[in-house]
Amino acid sequence: MSTERFVIIGNGPAANEAATTLRQRAPQSGITVFGKETTRSYKPHLLPDVVAGRLDAEKIFASPEDYYNERDIQLRLGQKVVQVDFNKYQVILEHREVVSFDGLIIATGGKPRIPEPLEVFEDVMMTLKTTEDARLWIDRLARVDSVLMIGGDLTSLSLTRALINIGKKVFFIIDAESFWPLPFNERLHQEIHARLREKGVDVSSSRKIKRLTQLSDCSIQVETDCADFEVGIVGAFFGLVPDVRFLARSGLDIDRGILVDENLQTRFRNVFAAGDCAQVYNPVIRDYWVSIGYDNARTLGRIAALNMLGGMIAAQASPESIFSLNGVQVNTSWWMEF
Ligand SMILES: Cc1cc2nc3c(=O)[nH]c(=O)nc-3n(C[C@H](O)[C@H](O)[C@H](O)COP(=O)(O)OP(=O)(O)OC[C@H]3O[C@@H](n4cnc5c(N)ncnc54)[C@H](O)[C@@H]3O)c2cc1C
């Protein structure tokens, strides 16, 4: 397959590792990476430190500026894939350009989940997934003293720590459903509650958001079932869901993420999925697991590339590190201290 044209959708850690591996193992092949963001590949777990001003935004890139160029990998930033035609083996970009491929790796990762009852307030709430989100946080934080965090996913905890460090008053409404990928139970609840309080966070777990109203650039009115108050920013942190909606009518098998076998292959020949967007079959548990975390993403990106080139490497997840959450099996390489 050495002179074939490979396309990678996504420019996160899974895609980055896949592109590197393809180039190492198939030096003559054509490789094109499409990333919908305009920045080159970065380490998302460092975004809270960027928001807190502890790290320069330039320091979070996964590789030097010339990395792709030097490896003759075509990097097309700011170009979103909106459709894939698996009969013709073509990807279609938002600006209607059509690009043919012989092999495809889908590594589109996840996007912030907003629970349905809160969707109506989506424009008032902030999330943190991209460098553009981080820039908005920095901008808004310069004008406010307080932040309300709703949810409780792993991202929210590291951002809360960062906000405390820069002297912001943090309110937190814990939501039992948002601990993804951690299985929520009373022990975890008590632990996170206690740790947040210890750090000076005003935490509550029983409140339900009734309404959020943007009063001005730096003030949001929060109405809950117990009290009303004003804060500068409301952050929504309910975990990440696979960013695969654009593939819904493509013929791929999709559940939570893209269903792949243990070799990360989809139902189509030479089409693989890797990283947070994949749901990988594990013959031991006879079920699919969802991968979460930076290290997992890189490993899966590498495996997808090797298998594209004829390998038969199975993605490993030990049964002990897989747990079930709302009926979905989750394997995570992501565990952090708060
Ligand atoms: C704030 C934050 C903190 C985190 N902290 C940690 C941590 O401490 N430890 C840890 O292990 N993990 C952490 N994570 C999770 C970790 O970053 C992810 O698991 C990992 O980035 C997944 O990699 P990925 O390549 O699968 O997807 P992503 O990193 O989500 O990358 C997906 C890429 O695909 C692109 N894309 C999506 N759709 C399209 C499309 N249609 N067309 C073109 N491009 C597209 C996106 O722009 C992006 O470049 C954190 C994540 C965040 C956001």
Side-chain angles (χ1 to χ4, degrees):
M1 295 190 53
S2 60
T3 57
E4 279 175 304
R5 298 157 304 168
F6 298 123
V7 162
I8 299 172
I9 313 178
N11 189 35
N16 196 244
E17 192 68 20
T20 303
T21 308
L22 285 175
R23 176 48 75 233
Q24 284 165 350
R25 303 294 176 114
Q28 305 304 321
S29 61
I31 305 171
T32 305
V33 175
F34 291 105
K36 70 177 173 184
E37 292 163 60
T38 50
T39 34
R40 62 184 204 271
S41 194
Y42 54 87
K43 300 174 181 171
H45 55 278
L46 298 180
L47 289 173
D49 284 340
V50 173
V51 170
R54 284 153 53 108
L55 199 60
D56 194 292
E58 291 296 310
K59 297 267 185 325
I60 68 166
F61 291 119
S63 43
E65 195 162 4
D66 284 343
Y67 186 81
Y68 285 104
N69 225 345
E70 282 169 358
R71 283 159 184 77
D72 194 21
I73 296 168
Q74 199 185 9
L75 176 62
R76 295 184 53 176
L77 291 178
Q79 310 218 340
K80 184 178 176 183
V81 174
V82 290
Q83 210 181 318
V84 183
D85 184 334
F86 290 108
N87 294 318
K88 297 184 180 154
Y89 274 57
Q90 291 175 333
V91 295
I92 296 135
L93 296 159
E94 201 170 24
H95 57 274
R96 306 321 295 170
E97 182 187 346
V98 175
V99 177
S100 298
F101 60 84
D102 301 304
L104 176 70
I105 295 178
I106 305 166
T108 50
K111 61 178 181 186
R113 179 177 81 90
I114 304 288
E116 213 186 310
L118 292 177
E119 271 175 8
V120 61
F121 307 120
E122 204 160 357
D123 291 345
V124 183
M125 300 184 296
M126 294 183 74
T127 54
L128 181 61
K129 170 66 182 35
T130 65
T131 49
E132 176 58 14
D133 296 336
R135 201 188 54 71
L136 287 174
W137 273 94
I138 292 168
D139 200 42
R140 294 273 304 273
L141 281 170
R143 286 175 276 134
V144 307
D145 298 323
S146 60
V147 178
L148 167 65
M149 306 287 284
I150 328 174
D153 66 13
L154 296 179
T155 314
S156 70
L157 298 180
S158 53
L159 182 59
T160 297
R161 187 179 48 194
L163 294 173
I164 293 164
N165 287 343
I166 56 171
K168 302 296 173 188
K169 172 75 189 157
V170 182
F171 299 88
F172 208 115
I173 298 183
I174 297 180
D175 182 295
E177 282 182 25
S178 57
F179 277 79
W180 183 272
L182 305 184
F184 186 78
N185 55 34
E186 196 45 35
R187 192 196 56 74
L188 176 74
H189 181 219
Q190 295 301 339
E191 197 177 313
I192 289 190
H193 208 282
R195 288 213 221 165
L196 286 167
R197 283 235 153 119
E198 237 169 61
K199 298 241 174 347
V201 177
D202 187 323
V203 52
S204 142
S205 35
S206 52
R207 290 187 197 171
K208 286 263 169 286
I209 299 287
K210 282 168 60 187
R211 187 172 307 152
L212 299 174
T213 313
Q214 186 92 48
L215 300 176
S216 72
D217 235 17
C218 47
S219 174
I220 295 169
Q221 168 88 11
V222 181
E223 292 173 44
T224 74
D225 49 357
C226 334
D228 300 349
F229 54 100
E230 275 179 42
V231 286
I233 294 176
V234 176
F237 292 90
F238 296 90
L240 301 173
V241 285
D243 196 352
V244 293
R245 210 195 208 154
F246 70 106
L247 295 164
R249 292 203 198 104
S250 65
L252 279 178
D253 297 317
I254 295 178
D255 173 26
R256 187 183 136 84
I258 301 164
L259 298 183
V260 290
D261 65 17
E262 56 181 325
N263 303 121
L264 306 185
Q265 170 125 24
T266 66
R267 71 197 327 264
F268 295 106
R269 193 178 50 86
N270 291 342
V271 177
F272 294 78
D276 283 11
C277 71
Q279 224 174 309
V280 186
Y281 188 71
N282 183 317
V284 180
I285 59 169
R286 293 203 195 141
D287 203 346
Y288 288 87
W289 52 275
V290 177
S291 158
I292 305 279
Y294 187 80
D295 291 341
N296 269 0
R298 290 185 71 85
T299 305
L300 295 186
R302 183 172 166 75
I303 291 174
L306 291 172
N307 289 346
M308 171 88 86
L309 299 171
M312 284 295 285
I313 302 162
Q316 302 286 348
S318 68
E320 311 82 69
S321 69
I322 297 181
F323 45 78
S324 179
L325 188 66
N326 299 337
V328 179
Q329 312 290 326
V330 179
N331 167 260
T332 179
S333 61
W334 177 7
W335 194 265
M336 48 159 287
E337 301 266 313
F338 174 68

